[in-house]
Amino acid sequence: MSLKSETTGLALAVVAALGFSAKAIFVKLAFPYGVDALTLLALRVALAGPVFLFLAWRSGRNALALTQRDWLALTALGLLGYYGASLLDFMGLAYISAGLERLILFVYPTLTLLISVLAFGHRASRRELLAVALAWAGIAFAFSHDLGINRDNSQAVWLGAGLVFASAVCYALYLAGAGQMIARLGSQRFTALAMSISTVACLLHFSLARPLSGLAQPAPVLGYALAMAIFSTVLPVFALSAAIRRLGAARCAVIGSVGPVITIGLGIWLLGEPLSLAQVAGTVLVLGGVSLAGKPKAKATPQGENRG
């Protein structure tokens, strides 16, 4: 690999991490204008969805025909990973800080590991069990930080953390089931199709639960939704895909681990969220646990390429 290609790959991976991390900030900035989670998510997918619909159409030309089983799997995974997980995440952000949200979401590799143990008979190693313990201890520290600054409304923190944790579970289930489909269709086609399905599902949900006039929001909300669609959806998805082609999924995952740190920093800067020693300790523990969980075994065959 040339130095130029590696440098480009590193830059793209950082752009992807920054874009994904900024999503929570855009959501928190939009909420004070009175928009609810479902409406904000509908605006996001309405703006980003056409890109993925076009890619799904283009990637389907001269490609392997999809079977009924493929469509069922794609529908289930699209609803789980990009519709259900996103909606639960947006709902949770109404109650907890952006920093805690990102840390809870970031434990999905340990959740994927637990799903593999419970559903697929995987035998966890000591290192993997240590990774789970570290990551979840980190969440406990970060959770105590949010409880400390919301003593008068602790129930809201529990509710928000529960919703975001449910989002992480949905995403972990999505990852656990997506491997075969990615191997069959390719990462880009699979992502485009899954995102297209989630777009349709979200807009259908909105049309059944809210009047279409609800999409007419104040200019700042529309601006944040557009920023999410561009900088926290379309751009990072393509940047990450391009970075993986240059660096591989394993290195991109390491670079992506700066995501919680970026979110906490942006939360302090743009939202005025306080920082405590408990949050710092929680962040270090979560990053350490996830790093251990994602570290390949010495004799294992690399499988990280499916993560994109």
Side-chain angles (χ1 to χ4, degrees):
M1 181 193 305
S2 68
L3 179 61
K4 181 179 179 181
S5 179
E6 183 169 5
T7 302
T8 301
L10 289 170
L12 289 167
V14 170
V15 167
L18 179 60
F20 288 132
S21 300
K23 178 206 65 182
I25 306 300
F26 291 132
V27 173
K28 297 288 282 187
L29 288 170
F31 276 157
Y33 292 91
V35 64
D36 62 84
L38 178 59
T39 302
L40 189 57
L41 180 59
L43 286 169
R44 177 198 187 190
V45 300
L47 294 166
V51 176
F52 294 105
L53 287 167
F54 170 74
L55 287 175
W57 168 78
R58 193 181 70 172
S59 65
R61 295 184 302 172
N62 303 319
L64 183 70
L66 297 176
T67 65
Q68 184 178 13
R69 185 175 179 180
D70 290 334
W71 280 114
L72 288 173
L74 280 166
T75 300
L77 292 170
L79 293 177
L80 194 65
Y82 291 111
Y83 164 63
S86 294
L87 182 58
L88 289 166
D89 181 37
F90 278 42
M91 291 169 64
L93 274 166
Y95 304 101
I96 61 175
S97 67
L100 178 58
E101 177 263 2
R102 180 54 45 179
L103 285 175
I104 294 175
L105 284 183
F106 201 65
V107 302
Y108 72 85
T110 65
L111 291 173
T112 304
L113 171 62
L114 291 176
I115 291 168
S116 298
V117 171
L118 296 174
F120 303 113
H122 172 74
R123 294 187 64 180
S125 66
R126 289 184 180 179
R127 188 192 69 209
E128 290 171 331
L129 292 175
L130 176 61
V132 173
L134 285 174
W136 289 38
I139 293 301
F141 273 104
F143 187 69
S144 70
H145 163 82
D146 269 46
L147 282 177
I149 61 176
N150 291 280
R151 290 188 180 91
D152 297 332
N153 198 14
S154 60
Q155 288 185 339
V157 179
W158 281 99
L159 175 59
L163 288 167
V164 175
F165 183 77
S167 172
V169 171
C170 285
Y171 190 63
L173 288 169
Y174 159 79
L175 287 179
Q180 289 186 341
M181 292 303 296
I182 291 174
R184 176 173 167 77
L185 303 179
S187 177
Q188 190 174 74
R189 187 184 183 195
F190 169 77
T191 301
L193 287 167
M195 287 291 289
S196 297
I197 289 169
S198 70
T199 296
V200 173
C202 182
L203 293 178
L204 179 61
H205 183 175
F206 178 84
S207 67
L208 294 174
R210 305 279 192 278
L212 291 179
S213 59
L215 293 176
Q217 292 291 324
V221 174
L222 296 177
Y224 292 133
L226 180 61
M228 261 195 296
I230 296 173
F231 299 112
S232 297
T233 309
V234 176
L235 180 61
V237 165
F238 287 114
L240 182 60
S241 178
I244 288 174
R245 284 199 301 270
R246 290 170 169 82
L247 303 178
R251 291 185 67 189
C252 288
V254 172
I255 297 168
S257 67
V258 303
V261 178
I262 293 174
T263 302
I264 291 171
L266 290 174
I268 294 169
W269 175 34
L270 297 174
L271 303 175
E273 293 183 349
L275 180 67
S276 70
L277 184 60
Q279 191 176 38
V280 173
T283 302
V284 171
L285 287 171
V286 169
L287 293 180
V290 171
S291 176
L292 276 178
K295 188 177 180 180
K297 296 179 181 179
K299 297 183 178 180
T301 300
Q303 298 178 13
E305 293 302 324
N306 284 342
R307 281 195 181 179

